[in-house]
Amino acid sequence: MTKPATAQLRVFRHSDFGFLSSFVIRHSTTWLILAWLCAWSVARADDVSTAFDQANRLYEQGKFTEAAAAYEKMFRQGQASPALYFNLGNAFFKAGQVGRAVLNYRLAERLAPRDPDVRANLKFARSSVATGATPAPSWWQRWTSRLRLDEWTLLTSGALWIWLGLLTLGQWRPALRKSLSGYTATTGVGAVLLALCLGLETYNRFAVKSVIVSAREVVVRYGPWDESPNYFTVRDGMELSVLDSKGGWVQVTDRAKRIGWLRREQVLFVPSSTGSS
Amino acid sequence: MNESATLLLKFEGGLPAEVPAAPNVPGLSIASIGQSSQFNFINGQSSSILSYNFLVRAAQPGDYTIPALSAMVDGKTLTSQPLKLRVLKSGAPTAESEIIGKNAFLKLVAAKNEVYLGEVLPLEIRLYARQGNLRQQPQLSQDGFTVGKMIQQPVTKTLINNQYYSLLIFKTFVIPVKTGRLLLGPATMLLAVPHPNARVSVFGEIVDWMDATLTADALTIEVNPLPTNNVPSDFNGAVGSYSLNLALSTNAVTVGDPITLTVQIGGNGPIESLTLSSLDTWRDFKVYPPITKVETTDQFGLGGTKTFEQAIIPENADTKELPPVSFSFFDPEQKSYRTVTHPATPIIVRPGPATPAQPTIVATPTPSANEPKPAADIVHIKSRLGTLARIRAPLIQQTWFVALQGLPLLAWLSVLLWRKREESLTNNLRLRRQRKVAEIIRGGRADLRRLAAANQAEEFFATTFRLLQEQLGERLDLPASAITEAVVEERLRPRGVEEETLTALEGIFQTCNQARYAQESSEQELAALAPKVESVLRQLQRLNLSNLNDE
């Protein structure tokens, strides 16, 4: 015979509050440390925000080079945001450094791929360089670039967990296997597709190395030495794909499939790490 | 006025008993500024001089008398003479300044007195001095002019009125920035000159110096405006005499590839300030801001070359030449504007490899109202910083994250293995029976010990028999109920089971039969039998009857 269901009502007595207050008192040091950490975090965030505002003021005064230096200084704290990369890109663009502008727009796009402002400025900066300066992205690159790499990772991970969780449940409770089969199959397919997208975006990030020309005009040579004949010329802001490197030289190819060598210090490498990617 | 004098109170051959107090003279401010001492050894005789110095300033022009000062030296009272001091108004010539003027003077000399607006006017500030030391560079009042670098020339000697003077020339230039009759100067210069009646040391060097400010009168310069007729359209204020050269990095390019255009403007004039007319009007070219470089040939920067390097990109394969480049300036020597031009430069522009052939435009389509206009500038900066995140490698490169993804896989594999094991057990009846019998035997052994301790013989032997049946039935894959003593002979012995085991087993069976039919056993007998039963059961458990042949 089963017991009837009962409801429980707890009356808080003074002793309960006494317990709470004594708990707080006993752990007052811990609370103080937590409160200090919170205040410190807020203060630090305020410092960064103030520095950002100051850099913005320099930009609005037309001091683009100083503004760029101020934005770059904020990166030394090891943190970044899409707005920070975006504004830095703007400052560089206005200061006439198109290559650095394109690099920072691309980094901003990594963190905020759906931000229309970032896309617009990147497009504008690329169009200010010579026509054909940027390798056209393939269809799958256009597709996978809609999400950040970490977003693809989390989606794939979530799908994987759900799929394996359903499989585990099916093994543990065979009776549920049939009713779960549809969901299992769907999540499995979803996990595979997401993993595929993740793989493509990872390939795009790490396997496809690209550089951006940062010098005003750079001569690309046939070979990796100064005596090698000139092949073609590239300009500030052009994006090239890296094929090889040797010492201080980098082998690149442009959209026209021309392959040549230029000096490492004349280009900017697109880093693999940004803020939360 | 605005000058100070020094009152010296010297004690020679003795020291005062106390420091003399500054005299109090109405209208004069007299303050002690310290003391100094001097030791002399002349012709074998030594002497020491102690001087007390007082700074004297006057608030009003006039004649003042500084009274005699007294001091006690070696018990005697010594008294100085009263002194008269005349304080003149500022600027009034003094005998002293006249003396200074004869020893040193300054002159301002311009190359000409009439120039055009923006024209370079060479200038000299000449210092004539018989004796003196420079205290600072000359200063020039230059309202309406910009002044160039001032460069000191080597000192020379010159004869003026039968007197030799050292001549020091400071060369510079000025450029008028407004028209009209302008005053250039005066020029002033601070010089250290010998004090009148200055003392001379034993080495012949002057001991007493004083600062003197020399002034050169201002010059009147007539600055004419530039002519307003026949002004070239690209004139942007350059005045001087210049030439133009042009060079290209290449004259054969692909559409979209850059050409570096190098324009050199050389000549005489303020080279650094020259600007080239904008090339933004060039059609079919994308033009970028130039990089400039200046090389001067003279120390003033008034002669040399300014180089403009800029990238231009042909956007059209039909482009055949670079337009002419010109530079206009006003030549003050010729009093007219001049334009130097580099003619159009032929170039070859090849179509780009990925560039489609230019279509023939029949009609310009009207842009649709729905089509967004191309952006004219970048989107403005963001005012909010947004959420900051630590700069780190992506999640997929983080070891802990990748390891975490192994958890669901591990869980699934574990459950899968467990399920397989369960299913294999379900399908393997023998294995299930084996495990069940093992459990029964475990429980049975405990029962035997309990029954033996309680001297419950009947239950003891019944349990013993049941356990033997279960174990033998499981080993022989026969129902437990079918197991009797006969199985020893019928099943076990033919399978080659050890004789010792068989003997022990037969003994237990017989004991069970005997107990069933009458014999009573004591607690000790039961207790002694229980381990034997357990031992036989263990031996039976270890029997692998599948490997033994059945006759």
Side-chain angles (χ1 to χ4, degrees):
Chain A
M1 192 169 126
T2 55
K3 286 184 183 176
T6 57
Q8 285 190 341
L9 177 67
R10 176 93 192 270
V11 175
F12 283 95
R13 293 165 290 186
H14 287 292
S15 58
D16 293 326
F17 294 111
F19 167 75
L20 283 172
S21 59
S22 67
F23 175 80
V24 169
I25 291 167
R26 273 204 304 276
H27 296 85
S28 59
T29 307
T30 310
W31 290 117
L32 278 172
I33 291 172
L34 282 172
W36 180 83
L37 279 172
C38 286
W40 178 77
S41 299
V42 168
R44 197 164 167 214
D46 282 344
D47 287 343
V48 176
S49 186
T50 304
F52 185 73
D53 292 338
Q54 285 172 351
N56 281 359
R57 272 196 288 278
L58 286 171
Y59 182 94
E60 281 156 5
Q61 289 166 7
K63 299 175 183 174
F64 301 118
T65 307
E66 290 88 343
Y71 288 129
E72 281 188 310
K73 199 175 170 183
M74 295 173 64
F75 286 108
R76 286 184 209 155
Q77 297 186 12
Q79 292 183 312
S81 74
L84 189 53
Y85 282 121
F86 178 83
N87 286 11
L88 179 57
N90 274 20
F92 276 131
F93 186 83
K94 289 292 189 182
Q97 300 182 53
V98 181
R100 293 184 188 280
V102 168
L103 172 64
N104 282 283
Y105 287 143
R106 282 181 61 169
L107 294 176
E109 190 189 34
R110 263 196 204 164
L111 299 184
R114 298 173 290 282
D115 188 329
D117 293 342
V118 172
R119 285 179 170 260
N121 279 13
L122 180 56
K123 186 179 175 184
F124 190 91
R126 281 172 166 164
S127 68
S128 72
V129 187
T131 53
T134 308
S138 56
W139 66 270
W140 60 268
Q141 284 175 322
R142 284 197 298 273
W143 167 253
T144 58
S145 66
R146 287 164 195 261
L147 293 180
R148 299 190 335 239
L149 181 60
D150 275 357
E151 286 173 339
W152 283 117
T153 306
L154 288 172
L155 279 176
T156 306
S157 172
L160 192 70
W161 275 71
I162 293 171
W163 180 48
L164 287 172
L166 289 173
L167 285 176
T168 304
L169 186 60
Q171 290 297 330
W172 187 37
R173 289 283 182 265
L176 297 174
R177 208 181 288 176
K178 196 172 179 184
S179 58
L180 292 175
S181 60
Y183 298 110
T184 308
T186 307
T187 52
V189 170
V192 168
L193 289 175
L194 286 169
L196 182 65
C197 291
L198 174 64
L200 290 172
E201 181 62 14
T202 304
Y203 171 81
N204 194 28
R205 171 76 74 90
F206 298 108
V208 179
K209 291 194 190 311
S210 66
V211 292
I212 304 170
V213 179
S214 58
R216 202 155 191 92
E217 192 174 285
V218 175
V219 170
V220 181
R221 302 178 184 277
Y222 279 97
W225 49 86
D226 290 320
E227 295 78 20
S228 180
N230 298 358
Y231 185 0
F232 59 98
T233 309
V234 291
R235 291 195 60 257
D236 185 18
M238 279 186 172
E239 293 167 80
L240 308 167
S241 300
V242 175
L243 299 177
D244 196 4
S245 66
K246 192 179 287 186
W249 294 82
V250 177
Q251 190 184 37
V252 297
T253 179
D254 68 351
R255 194 177 175 184
K257 307 293 182 209
R258 294 179 291 188
I259 300 175
W261 294 81
L262 45 69
R263 285 207 165 272
R264 189 180 285 270
E265 59 266 18
Q266 293 171 318
V267 296
L268 299 167
F269 284 82
V270 182
S272 57
S273 297
T274 52
S276 171
S277 303
Chain B
M1 286 298 296
N2 301 326
E3 289 180 346
S4 60
T6 305
L7 174 67
L8 286 174
L9 198 61
K10 288 186 180 178
F11 293 85
E12 188 172 351
L15 297 175
E18 56 186 16
V19 176
N24 187 8
V25 180
L28 289 181
S29 159
I30 304 176
S32 172
I33 56 174
Q35 63 188 43
S36 60
S37 57
Q38 184 180 336
F39 178 79
N40 295 322
F41 189 79
I42 301 172
N43 295 329
Q45 292 203 350
S46 63
S47 64
S48 65
I49 300 173
L50 178 64
S51 300
Y52 288 93
N53 305 314
F54 299 90
L55 191 71
V56 182
R57 289 183 186 274
Q60 298 287 340
D63 292 327
Y64 298 89
T65 301
I66 298 174
L69 298 176
S70 301
M72 189 69 75
V73 179
D74 296 333
K76 291 182 189 172
T77 300
L78 300 179
T79 308
S80 67
Q81 315 95 314
L83 294 173
K84 288 194 185 304
L85 177 68
R86 174 172 289 180
V87 179
L88 300 171
K89 287 182 186 172
S90 298
T94 64
E96 207 170 69
S97 65
E98 286 173 359
I99 292 170
I100 292 169
K102 286 180 184 164
N103 281 327
F105 57 94
L106 202 65
K107 281 183 80 173
L108 192 59
V109 178
K112 49 187 175 178
N113 296 328
E114 190 172 337
V115 292
Y116 281 97
L117 179 68
E119 182 184 349
V120 172
L121 175 63
L123 192 70
E124 288 181 0
I125 300 174
R126 297 178 180 176
L127 170 66
Y128 297 85
R130 292 173 64 190
Q131 273 174 325
N133 294 318
L134 270 182
R135 283 283 196 228
Q136 63 178 195
Q137 295 280 307
Q139 309 294 312
L140 180 67
S141 175
Q142 79 238 32
D143 185 35
F145 297 88
T146 56
V147 182
K149 273 192 283 192
M150 196 169 293
I151 297 174
Q152 182 176 323
Q153 305 300 302
V155 177
T156 56
K157 287 260 190 237
T158 187
L159 185 65
I160 299 175
N161 294 338
N162 289 327
Q163 293 277 0
Y164 275 103
Y165 285 83
S166 295
L167 173 59
L168 181 59
I169 298 178
F170 294 87
K171 287 193 175 182
T172 183
F173 66 93
V174 295
I175 300 175
V177 297
K178 59 183 184 182
T179 56
R181 182 167 291 183
L182 306 180
L183 274 181
L184 179 61
T188 57
M189 192 165 167
L190 189 62
L191 196 69
V193 296
H195 201 280
N197 307 316
R199 291 170 298 162
V200 179
S201 71
V202 296
F203 302 107
E205 292 174 348
I206 294 172
V207 175
D208 300 318
W209 293 86
M210 65 181 191
D211 288 344
T213 301
L214 304 181
T215 304
D217 292 335
L219 300 175
T220 302
I221 305 294
E222 192 72 39
V223 180
N224 299 320
L226 296 177
T228 52
N229 52 341
N230 299 326
V231 180
S233 57
D234 63 341
F235 175 71
N236 52 20
V239 178
S241 178
Y242 304 103
S243 62
L244 183 141
N245 283 316
L246 185 143
L248 298 178
S249 58
T250 176
N251 59 0
V253 289
T254 308
V255 168
D257 279 353
I259 300 172
T260 301
L261 175 71
T262 304
V263 177
Q264 277 187 335
I265 299 176
N268 295 312
I271 288 284
E272 286 220 30
S273 61
L274 295 181
T275 57
L276 195 61
S277 302
S278 171
L279 306 180
D280 290 343
T281 52
W282 285 11
R283 292 179 58 222
D284 300 327
F285 288 93
K286 192 161 189 178
V287 179
Y288 290 85
I291 300 170
T292 59
K293 194 170 56 175
V294 174
E295 288 173 1
T296 54
T297 52
D298 73 330
Q299 53 193 345
F300 296 104
L302 295 177
T305 307
K306 187 165 184 178
T307 306
F308 300 83
E309 264 188 22
Q310 60 190 119
I312 54 172
I313 298 175
E315 294 179 319
N316 194 331
D318 294 334
T319 305
K320 300 290 179 228
E321 63 180 18
L322 224 58
V325 176
S326 64
F327 176 71
S328 295
F329 57 93
F330 180 78
D331 190 339
E333 298 297 322
Q334 296 189 8
K335 295 183 173 42
S336 65
Y337 293 98
R338 287 174 49 200
T339 300
V340 287
T341 305
H342 191 281
T345 312
I347 57 172
I348 299 167
V349 182
R350 295 182 291 267
T355 306
Q358 297 295 322
T360 303
I361 299 174
V362 176
T364 307
T366 307
S368 161
N370 292 333
E371 280 180 12
K373 287 184 186 175
D377 196 6
I378 53 174
V379 174
H380 194 55
I381 53 172
K382 294 187 185 293
S383 57
R384 289 190 167 191
L385 180 58
T387 307
L388 281 171
R390 201 166 48 87
I391 297 175
R392 55 162 179 80
L395 278 175
I396 204 164
Q397 280 191 314
Q398 307 272 354
T399 309
W400 65 269
F401 183 81
V402 174
L404 194 63
Q405 307 317 303
L407 282 181
L409 185 64
L410 197 64
W412 174 62
L413 286 174
S414 302
V415 173
L416 182 66
L417 285 173
W418 171 80
R419 173 58 57 194
K420 292 297 177 199
R421 189 160 161 265
E422 287 296 304
E423 285 175 358
S424 70
L425 274 176
T426 305
N427 297 333
N428 191 337
L429 294 173
R430 280 209 71 175
L431 185 60
R432 272 172 53 190
R433 188 182 178 186
Q434 182 184 352
R435 292 188 176 183
K436 188 176 174 188
V437 165
E439 199 178 331
I440 292 171
I441 300 298
R442 268 197 301 275
R445 285 210 287 261
D447 289 341
L448 284 180
R449 284 193 287 273
R450 179 179 54 79
L451 292 170
N455 198 21
Q456 293 175 341
E458 191 177 340
E459 289 85 357
F460 178 89
F461 286 110
T463 302
T464 299
F465 193 79
R466 180 171 59 82
L467 292 179
L468 288 175
Q469 280 184 311
E470 290 287 351
Q471 188 63 77
L472 283 168
E474 184 272 314
R475 291 282 90 195
L476 294 170
D477 198 18
L478 293 171
S481 56
I483 302 296
T484 61
E485 188 181 350
V487 78
V488 174
E489 287 297 327
E490 292 170 4
R491 301 278 183 169
L492 296 182
R493 187 161 271 121
R495 282 186 160 90
V497 176
E498 287 181 7
E499 197 58 37
E500 188 184 340
T501 305
L502 295 176
T503 306
L505 187 59
E506 282 175 340
I508 293 172
F509 270 120
Q510 285 168 9
T511 308
C512 289
N513 288 335
Q514 286 167 7
R516 191 184 298 165
Y517 293 119
Q519 190 171 345
E520 289 190 4
S521 300
S522 65
E523 184 184 335
Q524 290 82 359
E525 286 171 348
L526 292 179
L529 189 60
K532 288 181 184 173
V533 172
E534 286 184 28
S535 171
V536 166
L537 287 172
R538 274 198 293 273
Q539 289 172 35
L540 291 176
Q541 218 172 29
R542 286 196 289 269
L543 283 178
N544 188 357
L545 295 173
S546 61
N547 292 336
L548 298 174
N549 293 327
D550 195 0
E551 287 187 4

